[in-house]
């Protein structure tokens, strides 16, 4: 039950875009058509699902205060948590590179459809944010962390596909010239965020 | 206007990182519920952008192009760790409020965007000015948002209860709770973009 709770919570209540504004840059830049935005959304979900659990293990067994106790008595007092930022980003960059190579090898069609988005995910705030929130919220085991990562990714996917669908229709409407493009996208995202706020307080 | 002052002043208005280049939106929206964290965040980003631009620009001829992203990430994350430690040491409460967003300066698009677009092919001094200019341009928007949201959302400014001192509550004024919420930040940025683009017709999209 706890797993489902975390999963639903990270999709709707703690939505990466509407509640924490993470990954806004690619959200605004790529959401022009539904097809590409769905591709990017899937890629982000996939990378989150791999990097967050890996960073969880790294945090638990290397970085946390006292995490090195498994090496022996002498290491029990070492606190490496100040290194966590650089370690997380290194893990993310490395895993994105590996994912890129694996996808290219085993599924060239998926690789072609994701195109340039894959390498850019390394600098997507939503991915880094996933790892930092994982560290901050102190989930108790790897199952919970995986549910959180999958939920956040799906929440991000829903948001970007939603805005892309709206922007496709928006092309045919009359918008004040100064609001065209980015301006109206911000306002629509705000309105969508208000709709998502009504999920607050759901507990399964 | 000389080239250097153009590089420095451009990002403050005409080429503003947030409203024109659309970079670094995440943190700009998330930290502006109050003025103080917004100012601290703006200063941290300015320091990181200026120094990383300077360092990358000094190294630009020796970095192999294939691995430049990793090199940039390492330089930026080292600087962000320094900023994070300084914040935790001197302004602990603000650093608690900023939570993950200090760490997210690493993936802030302003930093990576300026490194790729400017520092990789300009001289160190120019690059540093560009970094400071972009950091301040980001800061201007942050301060506007932070001041507006704190004043109308919680009735205070920099922690000083301005509205209460002016006696506004006695004549029936109420704080607007929606302004502090996440969605309103997005709408406010939309409005700022709207105002800027109606003044400056060149920036409008077709």
């Amino acid at each position: 039950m706890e797993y489902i709770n975390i999963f639903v919570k990270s999709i709707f209540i703690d939505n990466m875009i509407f509640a924490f504004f993470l990954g806004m840059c690619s959200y605004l830049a790529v959401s022009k058509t539904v097809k590409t935005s769905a591709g990017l959304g899937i890629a982000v979900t996939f990378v989150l699902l791999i990097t967050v659990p890996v960073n969880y293990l790294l945090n638990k067994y290397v970085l946390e205060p006292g995490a090195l106790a498994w090496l022996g008595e002498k290491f029990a007092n070492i606190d490496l948590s100040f290194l966590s930022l650089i370690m997380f980003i290194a893990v993310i960059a490395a895993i994105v590179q590996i994912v890129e190579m694996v996808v290219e090898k085993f599924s060239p069609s998926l690789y072609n459809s994701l195109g340039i988005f894959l390498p850019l995910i390394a600098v997507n705030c939503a991915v880094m944010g996933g790892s930092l929130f994982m560290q901050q919220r102190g989930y108790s085991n790897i199952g919970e962390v995986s549910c959180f990562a999958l939920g956040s990714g799906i929440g991000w996917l829903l948001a970007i596909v939603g805005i892309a669908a709206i922007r496709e229709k928006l092309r045919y409407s009359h918008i004040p010239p100064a609001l065209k493009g980015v301006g109206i996208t911000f306002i629509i995202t705000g309105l969508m965020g208000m709709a998502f706020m009504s999920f607050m307080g759901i507990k399964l | 206007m000389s080239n250097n002052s153009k590089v420095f002043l451009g990002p403050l208005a005409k080429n503003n990182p947030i409203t024109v280049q659309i970079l670094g939106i995440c943190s700009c929206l998330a930290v502006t519920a109050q003025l103080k964290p917004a100012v601290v965040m703006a200063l941290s980003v300015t320091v990181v952008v200026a120094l990383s631009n300077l360092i990358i620009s000094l190294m630009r001829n020796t970095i192999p192009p294939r691995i430049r992203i990793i090199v940039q990430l390492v330089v930026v994350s080292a600087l962000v760790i320094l900023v994070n430690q300084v914040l935790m040491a001197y302004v602990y409460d603000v650093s608690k409020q900023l939570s993950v967003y200090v760490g997210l300066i690493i993936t802030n698009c302003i930093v990576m965007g300026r490194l790729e677009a400017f520092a990789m092919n300009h001289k160190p001094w120019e690059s540093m000015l560009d970094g400071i200019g972009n950091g301040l341009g980001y800061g201007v928007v942050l301060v506007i948002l932070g001041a507006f949201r704190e004043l109308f959302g919680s009735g205070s400014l920099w922690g000083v209860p301005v509205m209460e001192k002016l006696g506004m509550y006695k004549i029936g004024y109420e704080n607007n709770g929606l302004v502090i919420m996440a969605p309103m930040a997005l709408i406010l940025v939309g409005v700022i973009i709207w105002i800027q683009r109606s003044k400056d017709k060149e920036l409008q999209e077709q």
Side-chain angles (χ1 to χ4, degrees):
Chain A
M1 226 38 211
E2 187 59 23
Y3 292 150
I4 301 173
N5 192 17
I6 289 177
F7 182 67
V8 172
K9 203 173 166 218
S10 51
I11 295 182
F12 292 110
I13 304 164
D14 292 340
N15 187 289
M16 280 280 183
I17 287 194
F18 300 127
F20 298 108
F21 318 106
L22 295 178
M24 282 303 279
C25 304
S26 36
Y27 170 84
L28 291 167
V30 183
S31 61
K32 289 201 176 100
T33 59
V34 172
K35 209 173 160 212
T36 45
S37 56
L40 181 68
I42 292 169
V44 167
T45 312
F46 189 54
V47 171
L48 264 173
L49 189 57
I50 301 177
T51 54
V52 177
V54 170
N55 279 336
Y56 172 76
L57 294 177
L58 186 73
N59 189 43
K60 192 164 181 196
Y61 292 109
V62 182
L63 296 171
E64 265 181 349
L68 285 171
W70 56 273
L71 274 179
E73 286 284 304
K74 265 193 286 180
F75 297 93
N77 293 324
I78 296 178
D79 176 7
L80 290 178
S81 54
F82 68 94
L83 280 178
S84 51
L85 293 178
I86 203 163
M87 294 299 278
F88 286 173
I89 196 75
V91 166
I92 290 169
I95 287 181
V96 167
Q97 200 88 61
I98 294 170
V99 167
E100 197 186 344
M101 290 192 297
V102 170
V103 171
E104 190 181 9
K105 175 98 178 140
F106 291 105
S107 169
S109 59
L110 181 66
Y111 180 77
N112 286 332
S113 61
L114 290 178
I116 51 155
F117 301 134
L118 259 182
L120 284 181
I121 290 173
V123 287
N124 187 320
C125 343
V127 176
M128 183 70 178
S131 291
L132 291 173
F133 276 126
M134 171 277 295
Q135 190 190 28
Q136 197 187 45
R137 289 182 192 159
Y139 290 112
S140 58
N141 61 46
I142 196 155
E144 286 183 17
V145 171
S146 309
C147 285
F148 159 73
L150 184 63
S152 313
I154 291 177
W156 202 86
L157 172 73
L158 278 180
I160 194 170
V161 171
I163 193 83
I166 294 177
R167 280 179 84 171
E168 279 191 356
K169 296 281 174 217
L170 214 58
R171 230 173 281 154
Y172 307 108
S173 48
H174 296 287
I175 302 160
L179 262 180
K180 256 188 195 153
V182 192
I184 194 74
T185 312
F186 269 107
I187 292 177
I188 293 171
T189 312
L191 296 176
M192 284 168 79
M194 277 184 203
F196 265 69
M197 268 168 64
S198 59
F199 289 114
M200 229 178 251
I202 290 182
K203 202 166 165 68
L204 289 175
Chain B
M1 201 154 52
S2 80
N3 192 27
N4 272 355
S5 61
K6 206 190 276 170
V7 164
F8 181 67
L9 293 174
L12 290 180
K14 210 152 189 133
N15 198 16
N16 189 289
I18 292 179
T19 60
V20 182
Q21 303 175 48
I22 317 293
L23 296 174
I25 308 293
C26 331
S27 51
C28 132
L29 297 167
V31 301
T32 50
Q34 281 171 330
L35 188 55
K36 201 172 170 190
V39 172
V40 172
M41 185 70 183
L43 288 178
S44 321
V45 170
T46 310
V47 169
V48 173
V49 185
L51 290 181
S52 60
N53 258 3
L54 175 70
I55 294 171
I56 291 292
S57 173
L58 285 170
M59 302 198 301
R60 71 186 187 282
N61 295 325
T62 50
I63 302 175
R66 279 183 66 88
I67 57 158
R68 64 178 195 286
I69 302 264
I70 303 277
V71 175
Q72 290 165 0
L73 278 177
V74 171
V75 170
V76 175
S77 40
L79 286 168
V80 171
I81 289 178
L82 285 179
V83 167
N84 194 15
Q85 299 289 325
V86 170
L87 288 184
M88 281 207 273
Y90 293 100
V91 278
Y92 187 71
D93 52 328
V94 178
S95 121
K96 264 272 166 287
Q97 270 177 319
L98 290 174
S99 75
V100 298
Y101 292 99
V102 180
L104 286 173
I105 298 177
I106 298 176
T107 52
N108 192 319
C109 322
I110 293 181
V111 181
M112 294 301 284
R114 291 327 290 173
L115 288 179
E116 274 289 292
F118 202 91
M120 285 303 282
N121 42 30
H122 286 83
K123 293 211 173 75
W125 173 238
E126 260 177 283
S127 303
M128 193 166 159
L129 281 181
D130 177 77
I132 298 175
N134 274 289
L136 292 180
Y138 170 84
V140 169
V141 179
L142 248 73
V143 168
I144 295 174
L145 280 175
F148 187 91
R149 288 178 74 190
E150 190 177 349
L151 187 62
F152 291 100
S154 34
S156 57
L157 217 50
W158 199 269
V160 181
V162 182
M163 289 294 185
E164 201 185 330
K165 281 193 181 150
L166 291 175
M168 295 292 272
Y169 295 118
K170 283 190 193 122
I171 56 172
Y173 174 82
E174 289 276 347
N175 284 331
N176 185 353
L178 187 63
V179 179
I180 319 181
M181 299 284 197
M184 201 59 195
L186 288 158
I187 294 176
L188 281 175
V189 175
V191 172
I192 291 178
I193 292 177
W194 188 6
I195 294 170
Q196 194 192 9
R197 293 196 177 175
S198 1
K199 289 225 184 290
D200 196 341
K201 298 263 187 310
E202 277 171 45
L203 298 173
Q204 289 175 9
E205 284 172 47
Q206 290 310 308

